[in-house]
Amino acid sequence: MKTHKILLIIIAFLMFGCQEDFLDTSPQDAIAENVFWETEEHADLGVTAIYNVMRKQAYVNEMGMDDAISPIAYRYGANRNWDTYQLYSIVSGNSTSRTRLYNDRWQAIYLGINRANAAIKNIPDIEMNDAAKKDRLIGEAKFLRAMFYFDLLNFYGGQDDSKYDGVPLYTEPVSFTETYQPRSKSSEVRKVIIQDLNDAIEALPGLEGKTSDGRASKGAAMALLGKTYLYNKEYEKAASAFEQLIQLGDYQLSDDYYGLFQVSGENNNEVIFALQNLGVQDFGGWRDLRYGNASSKSSAKNSSIPTNFLVNSYRWKDGSKFVMADFLADFESNNGREFDWTNRDDVNQMFENRDPRLDASIIRPFALFVGKGNKTYEYRYPRDTEKTPYECMRSVYNTNNHYCWRKFVNVGDESPVRRHSPIDYPVIRYADVLLMYAEARNESNAGLSGNPDDNLYMAVNAVRNRVGMPDIPVGSQSEVRDLIREERMIELAAEGVFYQDFRRWYEDDPAFDLGSLDEIIYDFTGIVKIDSRKSFAGYFLWPIPKTEIELNPSLTQNPGWD
């Protein structure tokens, strides 16, 4: 049974009567310093309130849904089911600077920044017997502030000073009347991020043989520092930061890839930093409802579905590429008939010898799923009412003609409260770090990819070997770059990471055609149209919310937005 130390403190925070509005509406309202920040208990609660911002739906809680804006997933729903943040308008190319997701994530992040600023300012003046604890709490606040500003640059501010204007930079708690600063260039914001993370690395402890308890650690700060450099294309610095984390020795790859995204696999040494969840009202996660199917305990909505592009990208177990056209041609040649999606044996031939992460991440036709009532269902196409060998699993509209997520979807009846899943959401995990390390090394020196003994191969192959996949071949820098990018897509699917990767990889790629994102979304047979995706001019950087510009005329808008 997981302890969820950070969540227990949050519950205590609520029990003390510190309601959300006491610390809310960022960055307008500072914490009332005359009634708070006087005791060690206040320091604990104040830092916990910073973590609690991650639970905002528009932020970390549902950030996995961001992958629907990339080629690997889609925001599914003929009636736009549960589209709280208007994600469908984004994937269909119709979003504006007033779209709710853009606005609510901005507000959530600045709420976190203001809470972190208050903690960083006030905790040093609180009398505490444990100096190490005081340093840790300040270090956690600085890590979280760095993460918030990292995300602001990633979504709103951009990385390149010559192209973008950055974001407003606040390093002190502010009141409503003080929130009229113009945007600070990304390089200035990045200086604050790097300083905060270096301070956090000095102040925060390692795991000391334990697993992550939801709090920031030395390793988490190292990982985010490397990521900050990587996103700014400072590859040598990124590789150095990641290497220090690897040498720290606190983390290792889990033997159970599937379990990383289930309650059964929590408390492992792969997760570096995560949003910890409980199956309790207001303290659980939303991805089960978004990703799950109608046969799950939550009667979920398939709001995000994997695309055919993603599923067809999972290779055969021997490492060779899966090519749908070749498979279908070979099947017809060997069997004297066309492939039949309604035939269990036919479909299993397509999937049974593929990368194991496919079945660990995705429910494909004729796969089994343990759903509501702890009953085992089989996903059949088309949906039927047969009871043998298992009852048929249902997709949200009973169409059963698209792939469904398995990642982050609760098993059986383990989630007692709908919309509040107990599955934790990794923000950074060790596999992610190893692949970023490999990418940084490959990009820092074109000659490294020619050395089969270089650590970049060690890092990529460790992630692949963990699930029984073979080593990648030695190749040119360009060839290895493509393999690393593919590996990140497969390994991190549905975690909200690929959308960020996709934008940073292709924003400045002259060969990339934004129009390639215009596509018809087909069912898994490749015949029936489900919907369509449309690109938009501001794809690579979200707009500054229109409401913020109206409140603060000093703010400028990003290119491609009104």
Side-chain angles (χ1 to χ4, degrees):
M1 181 177 180
K2 54 187 180 181
T3 58
H4 289 276
K5 297 178 183 177
I6 198 74
L7 281 168
L8 292 175
I9 298 174
I10 291 173
I11 292 172
F13 175 80
L14 294 178
M15 290 175 65
F16 271 91
C18 298
Q19 300 302 318
E20 187 73 8
D21 58 2
F22 182 68
L23 299 167
D24 210 355
T25 62
S26 144
Q28 290 96 345
D29 296 333
I31 294 177
E33 296 180 42
N34 60 326
V35 296
F36 206 68
W37 302 114
E38 295 177 349
T39 68
E40 181 176 335
E41 181 182 55
H42 288 166
D44 282 326
L45 298 178
V47 172
T48 296
I50 313 172
Y51 284 100
N52 204 30
V53 170
M54 296 167 60
R55 194 161 300 288
K56 294 284 188 180
Q57 270 185 263
Y59 194 29
V60 176
N61 205 325
E62 288 203 31
M63 196 176 281
M65 287 289 290
D66 289 359
D67 278 350
I69 317 175
S70 81
I72 69 170
Y74 189 71
R75 174 60 178 89
Y76 180 59
N79 66 355
R80 318 296 173 246
N81 55 78
W82 290 73
D83 196 10
T84 311
Y85 296 101
Q86 300 172 307
L87 186 57
Y88 186 82
S89 71
I90 300 176
V91 301
S92 58
N94 295 314
S95 65
T96 73
S97 57
R98 294 189 185 278
T99 295
R100 186 174 174 185
L101 179 60
Y102 303 144
N103 182 74
D104 286 16
R105 186 167 297 175
W106 171 283
Q107 290 189 352
I109 293 173
Y110 270 112
L111 168 62
I113 288 169
N114 205 43
R115 291 180 178 182
N117 286 341
I120 293 165
K121 176 185 178 181
N122 290 288
I123 291 177
D125 294 330
I126 296 176
E127 291 188 11
M128 296 174 63
N129 294 326
D130 189 341
K133 179 180 179 180
K134 176 185 283 192
D135 289 344
R136 175 177 61 78
L137 290 174
I138 296 171
E140 289 178 32
K142 288 190 173 184
F143 168 83
L144 291 167
R145 183 170 69 178
M147 183 183 75
F148 297 144
Y149 273 121
F150 173 87
D151 286 336
L152 278 176
L153 291 186
N154 186 23
F155 291 106
Y156 303 96
Q159 302 291 338
D160 187 345
D161 283 358
S162 67
K163 292 172 60 177
Y164 303 119
D165 292 339
V167 295
L169 178 61
Y170 299 92
T171 56
E172 296 281 339
V174 292
S175 66
F176 179 81
T177 58
E178 299 171 313
T179 58
Y180 295 103
Q181 289 199 39
R183 298 169 70 172
S184 294
K185 285 294 188 178
S186 300
S187 57
E188 294 302 310
V189 178
R190 196 176 299 109
K191 287 179 184 178
V192 173
I193 295 172
I194 291 170
Q195 185 61 59
D196 276 352
L197 290 173
N198 282 323
D199 289 348
I201 289 169
E202 289 297 317
L204 295 175
L207 294 187
E208 301 173 348
K210 303 175 184 178
T211 57
S212 175
D213 62 359
R215 288 191 176 276
S217 64
K218 186 182 296 295
M222 288 177 172
L224 187 54
L225 180 62
K227 194 171 181 178
T228 300
Y229 286 130
L230 180 69
Y231 275 47
N232 196 42
K233 301 181 181 179
E234 297 180 82
Y235 297 118
E236 290 186 2
K237 290 181 179 179
S240 176
F242 292 135
E243 195 164 271
Q244 290 180 55
L245 170 59
I246 293 168
Q247 293 173 350
L248 192 64
D250 279 353
Y251 305 98
Q252 62 187 31
L253 295 172
S254 170
D255 293 333
D256 182 9
Y257 177 80
Y258 165 76
L260 286 168
F261 319 105
Q262 299 294 327
V263 173
S264 61
E266 291 177 355
N267 298 322
N268 61 76
N269 287 320
E270 179 164 343
V271 173
I272 297 174
F273 184 63
L275 171 62
Q276 290 201 332
N277 292 313
L278 283 174
V280 176
Q281 186 76 27
D282 297 324
F283 295 101
W286 277 72
R287 290 184 202 176
D288 175 60
L289 182 69
R290 302 300 196 203
Y291 288 4
N293 57 79
S295 294
S296 65
K297 167 73 171 178
S298 60
S299 298
K301 299 299 181 182
N302 291 129
S303 299
S304 171
I305 60 173
T307 59
N308 294 350
F309 168 76
L310 173 63
V311 176
N312 293 341
S313 297
Y314 287 86
R315 294 177 177 245
W316 295 107
K317 283 183 179 178
D318 64 5
S320 60
K321 285 190 174 182
F322 172 85
V323 181
M324 178 65 81
D326 292 348
F327 173 83
L328 294 177
D330 290 345
F331 182 93
E332 186 169 351
S333 175
N334 294 333
N335 294 277
R337 61 178 177 82
E338 292 184 347
F339 179 84
D340 182 1
W341 282 94
T342 70
N343 183 298
R344 181 182 292 104
D345 292 336
D346 287 9
V347 173
N348 284 339
Q349 284 185 53
M350 180 182 288
F351 292 103
E352 60 188 4
N353 288 312
R354 303 276 289 281
D355 186 325
R357 288 172 292 188
L358 194 163
D359 274 331
S361 304
I362 294 166
I363 300 174
R364 46 81 172 183
F366 293 101
L368 301 182
F369 170 73
V370 179
K372 64 183 68 176
N374 292 312
K375 183 187 299 184
T376 299
Y377 296 84
E378 185 178 54
Y379 190 38
R380 294 192 292 273
Y381 166 76
R383 180 175 176 258
D384 59 50
T385 57
E386 298 297 322
K387 302 294 185 182
T388 56
Y390 303 97
E391 187 174 329
C392 189
M393 191 191 94
R394 293 192 302 117
S395 65
V396 67
Y397 299 117
N398 297 324
T399 55
N400 283 29
N401 66 346
H402 57 78
Y403 298 106
C404 301
W405 290 116
R406 192 185 297 276
K407 255 187 177 181
F408 300 113
V409 177
N410 287 110
V411 174
D413 292 334
E414 68 184 6
S415 181
V417 184
R418 194 175 192 231
R419 300 192 298 277
H420 300 282
S421 167
I423 297 175
D424 292 349
Y425 300 155
V427 176
I428 306 174
R429 56 187 180 91
Y430 192 52
D432 184 8
V433 166
L434 289 175
L435 294 176
M436 288 192 289
Y437 172 62
E439 178 182 349
R441 285 194 64 80
N442 188 55
E443 298 298 337
S444 68
N445 187 332
L448 295 180
S449 62
N451 178 7
D453 295 323
D454 191 85
N455 283 341
L456 77 85
Y457 288 106
M458 172 279 297
V460 178
N461 292 333
V463 175
R464 290 172 59 79
N465 296 165
R466 174 258 294 275
V467 293
M469 291 296 289
D471 293 352
I472 63 170
V474 176
S476 68
Q477 183 187 43
S478 177
E479 290 169 336
V480 172
R481 175 186 298 126
D482 289 343
L483 289 170
I484 291 172
R485 290 180 177 184
E486 178 184 310
E487 188 64 22
R488 286 186 63 78
M489 175 180 69
I490 296 299
E491 174 70 22
L492 302 166
E495 297 177 50
V497 175
F498 182 73
Y499 171 61
Q500 301 177 41
D501 282 345
F502 189 81
R503 290 183 301 128
R504 68 183 177 86
W505 288 335
Y506 295 109
E507 179 182 6
D508 296 320
D509 185 346
F512 179 74
D513 176 14
L514 187 62
S516 65
L517 294 174
D518 296 339
E519 62 171 330
I520 296 175
I521 306 298
Y522 288 102
D523 72 344
F524 48 60
T525 71
I527 298 173
V528 179
K529 176 182 176 180
I530 294 178
D531 211 326
S532 59
R533 186 200 308 275
K534 188 169 177 58
S535 61
F536 50 97
Y539 182 82
F540 290 108
L541 198 65
W542 287 9
I544 305 301
K546 190 71 170 180
T547 53
E548 297 297 324
I549 293 176
E550 290 169 348
L551 289 169
N552 181 3
S554 298
L555 296 178
T556 56
Q557 187 54 279
N558 284 327
W561 297 97
D562 59 335

